[in-house]
Amino acid sequence: MSENAIAMERTRPNIDLTDHAVTLVIVCLVGLVMNTVGPAIPLSDGFVGMVVIYLITMVGLLLTRFAPFYLPSVAWISLVGILATLPWTPGSEWIVEQAKSVNFLALATPALAYAGFAIAKKEIEVARHSGWKLALVACLVFLGTYAGSVLVAELILRLQGA
């Protein structure tokens, strides 16, 4: 094995597939609820689509863990999804049809909420160390962004003659 390959193996994260599988089941259940409540897609349709997405994700995670070379899990999951939906892949039409019954915006909402909570925890620590100066800068940035948006909107409205 070359030195480069050995270095890549050392940087490969050790993925706990059981932990990821359980976490993905929870995420899929939350996504299924959001998919049913938000866009009002029937539960049975959304369930099959969610199972298909779950399986694609798990195959990508398995490849991340056991492939002879390392790629990040998002790359493997994307590749599996792309290959599974290519027109010449057997069963791709069925996979695409099932995935159509999952509203991806409904899936993004819980993920973005979680990301917001994760960022907020880190930001609280930064705010503790920065104090009132950070609050002042944040207020000025918000004010500037708002004023800039108002000016652009006003300019566009005036150019359109409204």
Side-chain angles (χ1 to χ4, degrees), residues 2 15 25 43 91 119 127 142 155:
S2 71
I15 294 176
V25 166
L43 185 64
I119 290 172
F142 293 147
L155 178 68

Side-chain angles (χ1 to χ4, degrees), residues 98-119:
Q98 300 312 310
K100 282 183 183 177
S101 63
V102 176
N103 183 307
F104 285 92
L105 186 57
L107 291 180
T109 303
L112 292 173
Y114 175 75
F117 288 138
I119 290 172

Side-chain angles (χ1 to χ4, degrees), residues 5-154:
I6 293 170
M8 284 298 284
E9 281 303 313
R10 276 187 257 150
T11 61
R12 180 188 293 233
N14 187 12
I15 294 176
D16 183 358
L17 291 173
T18 305
D19 184 44
H20 277 69
V22 171
T23 303
L24 280 172
V25 166
I26 295 168
V27 168
C28 285
L29 290 173
V30 171
L32 187 60
V33 169
M34 298 297 290
N35 196 50
T36 304
V37 171
I41 295 173
L43 185 64
S44 59
D45 294 346
F47 179 77
V48 176
M50 201 66 73
V51 168
V52 167
I53 292 170
Y54 177 85
L55 292 174
I56 288 171
T57 304
M58 286 307 298
V59 169
L61 288 173
L62 285 167
L63 286 170
T64 303
R65 178 85 164 96
F66 297 113
F69 58 93
Y70 173 71
L71 283 177
S73 58
V74 68
W76 280 117
I77 294 166
S78 298
L79 284 171
V80 170
I82 290 167
L83 291 174
T85 56
L86 287 173
W88 53 80
T89 302
S92 66
E93 288 129 16
W94 182 83
I95 292 171
V96 170
E97 193 61 38
Q98 300 312 310
K100 282 183 183 177
S101 63
V102 176
N103 183 307
F104 285 92
L105 186 57
L107 291 180
T109 303
L112 292 173
Y114 175 75
F117 288 138
I119 290 172
K121 184 177 180 183
K122 293 176 188 174
E123 297 301 323
I124 289 172
E125 290 300 318
V126 170
R128 283 185 186 156
H129 296 293
S130 300
W132 65 272
K133 297 172 194 169
L134 180 68
L136 177 64
V137 169
C139 289
L140 291 173
V141 167
F142 293 147
L143 180 65
T145 303
Y146 177 74
S149 298
V150 167
L151 288 173
V152 169
E154 185 66 29

